[in-house]
Amino acid sequence: MEVQFAGSVMSLEDPRGFIITIRRAKDDCDKPCIFRWNVPRDGGLKKLEGKLQPPPPQNFKLEGYEVETEELLPGQTLRRHIGSPSPFWDHMVAGERYELFWPGAEYALWAWGTFREHWNQEIGVSSGLPPHVIPGGVSCSFPCVEVEESQSESEPDDPQVDKAERVPGTPYISVSLEGPSEVCKPNKMLFTVKMTYEGLTSDNHEAVHTDTKPIIIHNHGFAHDNFRLQRRCPEFDHIKDADADEDLIQWKTYFDDEQGACHMIVEDPDVEVKVTDSEFFYCLKPGETVVKHNCIHYSDLHPDTMVGNNYRYQYWGGYVDWWVWGDSEEHASTVVKLPCWLNDHVIYPADNDGRPGIMVPFSNVVEFSVVS
């Protein structure tokens, strides 16, 4: 487990919270497992030292995909954002420094296998599997203030996908960006996104260029939500913030609330799509690059943007949920099912026929300035 503070200080008025990462260790078992960890209900973090204490017996019926449950292969991770360090929130005092400590716990809500294999079944103590232990010892320290001096328009962001999260034996895919260095009102910016299939992923997460085959991949992992537009904070002070994480303080992701996620209630059936459909899938040979273009309009920048402001654009990393060895000729009749709104993860086969997903790390950064 890792604990990462989502800001530079903890503001009592507007907390940034914490990002918790739980990693499944690599072992001799290559089977997937499902694991459910809900921060508010399953215990969360506690600033208490002590021995491992098992929670009361728990069972949970898995009736479909839901955010608290994830499917993990060896080496893969799940992440959760904790908005405030409950139950200590009411006892924190501005001006003090605190340490959030994970004492360890046992969790019963896990099982070997995939989502599909356990749909409409209970996981937990009723399955007969022993509780899973998440060892204690990790911690994160932070200062507490009443009001943060420079409130940002950004909300806590997900961590980038790191190179170390690549799964050995899966296709090695990299992303690079090209774009303008300047923008002026009311022009738009066009960014070139290059996705390259470089070979296989080795045990040390590097590319191996031998014995590779063509692949077909679902392109949802390269959608708009996997990119970040960040603005340099005008109040950033190199001297004042010398001891802090400069990148974390200097750049803040801009989320446009007016373009936030919408909610849909749909009852239409899932849609069968051929994996040779270039709108949703890429067919790649070893060493081949597929290119697409992302457009950002001046109106996509922060409303108070002015001449001299600096931004940067980056692929944040992603996850290819479905892929297969072979080319379009070999898979001319292969179909998968997508939800009726299409732009989402593959519904069937839910477990990618047992193949681990492809983790694609973050790209280079393209910085640009606003000019007159």
Side-chain angles (χ1 to χ4, degrees), residues 219-234:
N219 63 16
H220 183 67
F222 308 97
H224 172 76
D225 290 345
N226 294 85
F227 292 80
R228 294 294 185 271
L229 176 65
Q230 296 184 309
R231 182 168 73 154
R232 188 195 299 271
C233 299

Side-chain angles (χ1 to χ4, degrees), residues 44 52 77-78 191 202 239 251 293 338-339 369:
L52 291 175
T77 61
L78 66 83
F191 293 88
S202 67
I239 299 177
W251 297 94
H293 299 283
L338 296 175
S369 303

Side-chain angles (χ1 to χ4, degrees), residues 193-207:
V193 183
K194 296 181 178 181
M195 293 147 285
T196 303
Y197 170 33
E198 299 191 29
L200 292 179
T201 303
S202 67
D203 290 339
N204 61 352
H205 312 291
E206 299 293 344

Side-chain angles (χ1 to χ4, degrees), residues 38-44 68:
N38 178 284
V39 175
R41 291 197 293 269
D42 293 350
E68 287 86 8

